[in-house]
Amino acid sequence: MTKILMVCLGNICRSPLAEGILKSKLPSPSFFIDSAGTSGFHSGSSPDPRSIAVAKKNSIDISQQKSRPFRAYDLEEFDHIFVMDNANLHDVLRHVQNEEEEQKVKLILDYPNAKVKEVPDPYYGGKDGFNYVFNMLEDACRYHSAQLTKK
Ligand code: 4NP
């Protein structure tokens, strides 16, 4: 089984969407997909209602997810860790203990022809920001799911 972790700051806006989108593309039980936040601010909370809504509009149900903090053990446990922005990257890499763990961690938009390199935090913006984030995560997950099922 390949284990994939999506990481953002709060684990209520971006990484729950990334988790839901990738799950919709990769079959369980071959893949286990989870998400976490580098801050524990929203631990135990459901995703932001705006993330739930944009996912639902695209036939993906993320309403049952619960926020949890990223922990150093995730670097051992997971095969791939996709982060949303450079701040997440920095926060996760602080916990890395060896090269194998370091190589697991990547910006989710680090793939050929991506238009931007970071997924912006939509928390303080409006609904348009969530549509924008959904679309960029959809493109990224399409690329990564193809790569992950290639072997
Ligand atoms: P996320 O968005 O990292 O995509 O879940 C955020 C949600 C909440 C906060 C920051 C970012 N906050 O500061 O409360």
Side-chain angles (χ1 to χ4, degrees):
M1 190 202 288
T2 305
K3 295 181 168 183
I4 301 148
L5 184 69
M6 302 296 193
V7 175
C8 63
L9 176 62
N11 190 210
I12 55 168
C13 295
R14 293 166 292 176
S15 57
L17 280 174
E19 176 187 334
I21 293 167
L22 195 65
K23 271 184 180 159
S24 75
K25 297 184 186 302
L26 291 178
S28 56
S30 297
F31 293 92
F32 174 75
I33 302 159
D34 193 12
S35 63
T38 56
S39 84
F41 296 158
H42 298 276
S43 190
S45 298
S46 298
D48 187 286
R50 296 165 294 178
S51 282
I52 294 177
V54 73
K56 190 174 174 193
K57 201 170 81 180
N58 290 275
S59 308
I60 294 172
D61 181 9
I62 63 165
S63 65
Q64 299 309 306
Q65 292 184 29
K66 292 282 182 277
S67 174
R68 71 144 172 107
F70 175 81
R71 52 196 180 213
Y73 180 64
D74 290 323
L75 285 156
E76 284 181 49
E77 171 87 4
F78 286 85
D79 302 295
H80 302 278
I81 298 178
F82 289 115
V83 300
M84 302 297 130
D85 62 29
N86 283 319
N88 308 150
L89 186 64
H90 179 261
D91 288 341
V92 168
L93 288 179
R94 275 195 306 127
H95 298 279
V96 158
Q97 287 184 315
N98 53 51
E99 202 174 317
E100 189 194 345
E101 290 185 358
E102 185 174 348
Q103 285 177 358
K104 295 177 178 181
V105 188
K106 294 199 178 69
L107 284 166
I108 195 167
L109 297 186
D110 184 6
Y111 69 93
N113 302 322
K115 293 182 193 81
V116 292
K117 286 292 166 203
E118 298 182 273
V119 182
D121 186 348
Y123 187 62
Y124 293 106
K127 218 173 87 182
D128 285 353
F130 284 78
N131 279 315
Y132 178 67
V133 162
F134 183 93
N135 290 332
M136 63 174 36
L137 289 174
E138 169 69 26
D139 289 345
C141 288
R142 191 179 314 122
Y143 175 82
H144 293 302
S145 63
Q147 290 298 114
L148 288 160
T149 46
K150 232 179 192 175
K151 288 171 216 138

